[in-house]
Structure formats: structure tokens, C-alpha cells
């Protein structure tokens, strides 16, 4: 069984690194059935000048490139923040088995909130909300936006 | 005023080219207030091994790279097929002013159908459905999937 605590902790480290790089602090990884992390990315939107570099979308593109196929149906994804509608639909297109979420996002989430993309998508990954990490992830975001407002 | 017929015809040419390259035939362009096309892409999902290379997402990434910013709020996007939820949310994040659609997509669209992403997103682009091009776009898709089934 994958060690989801270890996996989600890695997404939080990546989120912290994104924040240090002046990006909204979000991190995501792709892991296999045994829990081995096979790809990881932090949010790189600002650095790559494109909204398509949210952590989840970036890690999906990275893993597709590594595998040589856009079909990632043997893998799972974990993320420090609830995916937006863009990333949720990308997860569905890539046919990932599971999405593990550390913190929900009432404002911009597209899985548990708002567009609730998996209620409409053909492929419906299993969603696991590990809310014991919510505070840690939310604090990274709060600190980031507090620092931004001071600038 | 932008010549929307000319712009949408270009998306259909790109869609046709995608089909010739064994990709689902979809094309998208970004244009300015005067109607000048400033970036264009066909669907490259299979070739780039990632769902993040839908025509709309690819053209947004390309334009962001060209401009050096993920904020494309001075531009408009046109596409040969209704954007899915992934591409619709990307359009909202990029703050594009307008989305021009040649053909709706009951099965996988995320603007007029299913998740209806702009009903939930903060930024809501103007949506123009130029349905006089629906048949042309739909035929490209029908022919593509017919050929696929024969293989």
C-alpha cells in the first residue's frame, strides 16, 4: 500500500519550494501502485509564463514525456491543493486512477467545489481528501499572500 | 472589427492539419483587437505525449512564452471545437477577453455543456458561437474517427 502521508508530505515540500520561488505554493507528484514517486513538479506558472504550468498539469506533461504516452492510467496523482477545473480535467483526460488532496480550495477548486469536474467527466478518478494536512498547506498559501500584500 | 470568419477558417485549417498528423482535428488561434492572429496551434496531444497539448492550451502556452507573461487579457481566442473543462479554465486563468467557437461538443465540451466552467470561474470571457461553421468542423471530426475505426 502506498504511504500517502509520505507522498503528501513531498507535495508540501514542493509547494514550499514554489513559494520560495515567488510562485503560488502548490506542489504535485505522480506515484505508482507501490507508492514510488515517479514524477514531481512545483507550480511554475510565473516562471514559464503560462497558466498551463500549474503543478498538476506540469507533472502530467512531465510524466507523459517520460512514458512516451499521454495515457497515465497506471498511476496516481497527489497534490497539496485541490486541483482547479483545468487540472481536474487534465487528470481525467490522463486517466489517472486516484487524486489525493491535502487541502480543499473553496475559491478556485474544481473537484470538491465549483465546477466539480469529475461529476461531468467520462473518467472519474478516486478522490482522497487527506484533511489532516489542510492546515499545513493552507498556512503556506496564507503566508505567501500576506507577504505579497506587504510588497 | 476582427474578421471572425477569416479567423475561424484558420482554426479549421489547423484542425485539418492536426487530422493529417493523426491527431484529433482541433485548431485554435489567439488574435488581437484588430483581428490579427498572433499565435496558432493545432492539437498535438499524441505527438507531445500529454493531454496538456490540446490546441487551446498549446496556443495559450505559446502566446505566454512570446509575451513573457501568463496574463493574456488583451487578446481573444478562437477554436474549431468547444473547449473542454481543462481548456476553458485555462482560458479563464489567462484572462482572455473572448472565446469564439465553431462547433459545440455535447460529449466533452466544458463551456456550453457539462461542467460549464465559466459559470464558476472568476474571469468570464465573452463566448461567441459561430454555428455556421459547425458542420465543417463536425465533418472533420467524423471523418477522423471513421478512419480510426477502420484501422
Amino acid at each position: 500500500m502506498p504511504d500517502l502521508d509520505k507522498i503528501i508530505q513531498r507535495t508540501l515540500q514542493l509547494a514550499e519550494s514554489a513559494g520560495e520561488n515567488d510562485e503560488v505554493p502548490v506542489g504535485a507528484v505522480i506515484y505508482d501502485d507501490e507508492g514510488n514517486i515517479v514524477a514531481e513538479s512545483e507550480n511554475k506558472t510565473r516562471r514559464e509564463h503560462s497558466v498551463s504550468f500549474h503543478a498538476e498539469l506540469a507533472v502530467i506533461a512531465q510524466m507523459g514525456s517520460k512514458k512516451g504516452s499521454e495515457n497515465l492510467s497506471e498511476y496516481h496523482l497527489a497534490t497539496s491543493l485541490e486541483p482547479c477545473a483545468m487540472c481536474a480535467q487534465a487528470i481525467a483526460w490522463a486517466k489517472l486512477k486516484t487524486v489525493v488532496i491535502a487541502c480543499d480550495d473553496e475559491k478556485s477548486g474544481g473537484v470538491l467545489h465549483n465546477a466539480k469536474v469529475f461529476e461531468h467527466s467520462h473518467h472519474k478518478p478516486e478522490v482522497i481528501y487527506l484533511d489532516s494536512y489542510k492546515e499545513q498547506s493552507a498556512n503556506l498559501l496564507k503566508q505567501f499572500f500576506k507577504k505579497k500584500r506587504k510588497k
Side-chain angles (χ1 to χ4, degrees), chain A:
Chain A
M1 274 289 288
D3 181 346
L4 292 188
D5 290 293
K6 198 177 136 199
I7 289 165
I8 214 76
Q9 279 160 14
R10 182 64 192 140
T11 71
L12 290 163
Q13 284 170 352
L14 290 162
E16 201 167 351
S17 168
E20 285 162 5
N21 284 303
D22 202 25
E23 302 271 9
V24 176
V26 182
V29 303
I30 289 177
Y31 63 94
D32 65 17
D33 286 346
E34 282 74 46
N36 303 302
I37 291 174
V38 289
E40 52 181 46
S41 183
E42 56 186 68
N43 176 31
K44 295 187 280 188
T45 310
R46 201 189 48 82
R47 284 168 287 175
E48 298 284 353
H49 311 304
S50 173
V51 298
S52 61
F53 283 85
H54 273 195
E56 300 93 327
L57 214 54
V59 79
I60 286 171
Q62 193 194 116
M63 189 61 219
S65 186
K66 201 170 161 181
K67 187 189 163 187
S69 165
E70 71 270 29
N71 182 325
L72 306 179
S73 57
E74 68 271 50
Y75 297 115
H76 315 259
L77 185 144
T79 172
S80 65
L81 186 66
E82 179 186 346
C84 71
M86 172 179 74
C87 293
Q89 183 62 57
I91 288 164
W93 286 130
K95 299 189 169 64
L96 286 150
K97 286 186 198 178
T98 318
V99 188
V100 187
I101 298 171
C103 182
D104 71 330
D105 181 355
E106 280 186 34
K107 200 180 157 204
S108 302
V111 173
L112 307 163
H113 300 289
N114 308 303
K116 296 185 179 174
V117 165
F118 300 148
E119 290 187 4
H120 306 279
S121 60
H122 308 292
H123 176 73
K124 297 173 195 304
E126 183 187 3
V127 176
I128 301 175
Y129 182 17
L130 276 192
D131 66 355
S132 47
Y133 293 94
K134 179 175 170 136
E135 205 181 325
Q136 198 179 335
S137 179
N139 276 342
L140 284 175
L141 290 156
K142 265 183 225 159
Q143 283 161 20
F144 177 79
F145 288 110
K146 199 173 160 186
K147 212 168 73 182
K148 278 273 163 199
R149 279 192 297 271
K150 276 191 188 159
K151 275 184 187 173

